[in-house]
Amino acid sequence: MAETHTVQPGDRAIAYLTLTPSAAVLLLLVAVPTITVIGISLQDVGFGEMSGPWIGLENFAWALTSRTFWTALKNTFVWVFGSVSLEMMLGLGLALLLNRTFALRGVARAIILAPYLIPTVVAVLVWRYMFHDIVGILNYMLMSVGLISKPMVWLASTSTAMLSVIIVGVWKFFPFVVIALLGILQSIPQEQYEAAEIDGASAFQQFWRITLPHILPVFLLTALLRTIWTFHKFEIIYLLTGGGPLDSTTTLPILVYIKGFADFELGRAAAIALITFFILVVLLAVYFGFMKRAEARQ
């Protein structure tokens, strides 16, 4: 019989003393900046200032009635949905492929993971040259196979700028999805697939009945993490387009930067940042609600 251990008051005191330093650091790193941003959002604060006239919720009212804000919000959802959905589909397909046994599988894994290891600034600058309308290799390749008749201005056109930044984002971060899903795929017992083959199950039936139930929790968690990280991703869009042309790629993080460091309106920038935070909290609540329902059905 397993021996049970009763928690003594001294044990609790030691646990609290052990956790106190971490809790204090977490409080300094999270709570203090958050409270500061909330305070700034309720004031008319300019650049280089830490306080200003108290204006209440006027910054939030401006954001919710501003055409610029709603354009940025729409662009943010397009950027996030486009990037994350493509990352998840591409990552799942490549993870299933890399989970199979074939020659030079280790080399293939290293090549696929390479984009995730390259510094973002370096990757974006390389892609800027690739998108260049005159010397870019992308236009050259598309014209060589006859898909386009003249060079496209990828980053300076409102019709292709968002597509361009989504392509770069997917290329840079889909390896994270591959890593996450490949780990859980390798933990699935092979005996289940062997039994399914004996029963005459097709490849799709094996995926639907065996693979998908095993990887679904990790798949959803990975999608949630990528959604959160992509939602406040700044450097890719800023380095590629700066939010242009004509605000066609201005997302909420870009708008926060513009308001805070170009227009010197830190109060409005803080308000936009808090609204972004509230949107992410809602997404988290939806995710955890979905997970609780899924666990209740099992």
Side-chain angles (χ1 to χ4, degrees):
M1 179 181 253
E3 183 180 356
T4 58
H5 176 70
T6 303
V7 178
Q8 301 296 329
D11 297 336
R12 293 182 181 275
I14 293 174
Y16 289 141
L17 288 174
T18 304
L19 292 174
T20 297
S22 299
V25 172
L26 186 63
L27 185 65
L28 289 174
L29 295 178
V30 177
V32 173
T34 302
I35 294 173
T36 302
V37 171
I38 294 174
I40 292 176
S41 69
L42 301 175
Q43 304 173 59
D44 183 12
V45 181
F47 184 73
E49 301 174 351
M50 290 302 297
S51 62
W54 186 269
I55 59 175
L57 299 177
E58 287 187 18
N59 288 324
F60 294 92
W62 168 85
L64 297 177
T65 57
S66 171
R67 179 179 174 275
T68 303
F69 170 81
W70 289 106
T71 299
L73 181 62
K74 181 198 71 173
N75 291 338
T76 303
F77 278 110
V78 172
W79 154 247
V80 171
F81 179 78
S83 299
V84 174
S85 59
L86 291 176
E87 288 172 19
M88 298 307 298
M89 290 188 292
L90 183 60
L92 175 59
L94 290 175
L96 292 172
L97 178 62
L98 294 176
N99 193 44
R100 297 179 175 273
T101 302
F102 56 90
L104 300 178
R105 183 175 65 171
V107 176
R109 290 180 176 180
I111 293 175
I112 287 177
L113 297 181
Y116 196 64
L117 304 178
I118 299 175
T120 301
V121 174
V122 176
V124 170
L125 292 178
V126 171
W127 274 98
R128 286 194 65 174
Y129 280 107
M130 293 174 62
F131 280 127
H132 197 280
D133 57 327
I134 299 176
V135 298
I137 190 174
L138 187 59
N139 277 333
Y140 173 78
M141 294 175 59
L142 293 177
M143 293 175 65
S144 298
V145 297
L147 293 179
I148 59 175
S149 59
K150 59 181 180 179
M152 296 181 60
V153 187
W154 290 91
L155 300 177
S157 172
T158 56
S159 60
T160 57
M162 180 59 75
L163 174 62
S164 301
V165 297
I166 289 176
I167 290 174
V168 177
V170 171
W171 175 86
K172 182 70 176 70
F173 294 106
F174 84 87
F176 176 83
V177 181
V178 176
I179 296 171
L181 297 183
L182 188 57
I184 191 65
L185 283 171
Q186 293 178 338
S187 68
I188 301 176
Q190 292 300 313
E191 293 79 4
Q192 297 186 16
Y193 293 105
E194 295 172 359
E197 289 181 0
I198 294 174
D199 293 337
S202 63
F204 177 77
Q205 290 173 329
Q206 293 180 35
F207 171 79
W208 189 258
R209 298 295 183 181
I210 300 175
T211 305
L212 187 59
H214 277 88
I215 69 172
L216 186 59
V218 175
F219 183 89
L220 293 177
L221 179 59
T222 304
L224 173 67
L225 293 176
R226 287 303 310 142
T227 298
I228 294 174
W229 295 340
T230 306
F231 209 94
H232 58 68
K233 182 60 63 178
F234 171 81
E235 67 272 23
I236 290 179
I237 298 177
Y238 181 76
L239 292 173
L240 281 174
T241 65
L246 300 177
D247 294 335
S248 60
T249 58
T250 298
T251 57
L252 291 179
I254 297 293
L255 185 59
V256 170
Y257 175 83
I258 292 174
K259 284 298 172 185
F261 299 99
D263 297 342
F264 304 134
E265 298 174 342
L266 291 184
R268 291 183 174 181
I272 297 170
L274 286 175
I275 293 174
T276 304
F277 170 77
F278 293 141
I279 293 173
L280 290 175
V281 169
V282 172
L283 292 177
L284 281 172
V286 171
Y287 168 79
F288 286 117
F290 179 81
M291 289 301 297
K292 285 185 178 180
R293 291 185 179 181
E295 292 174 357
R297 293 176 182 175
Q298 295 178 353

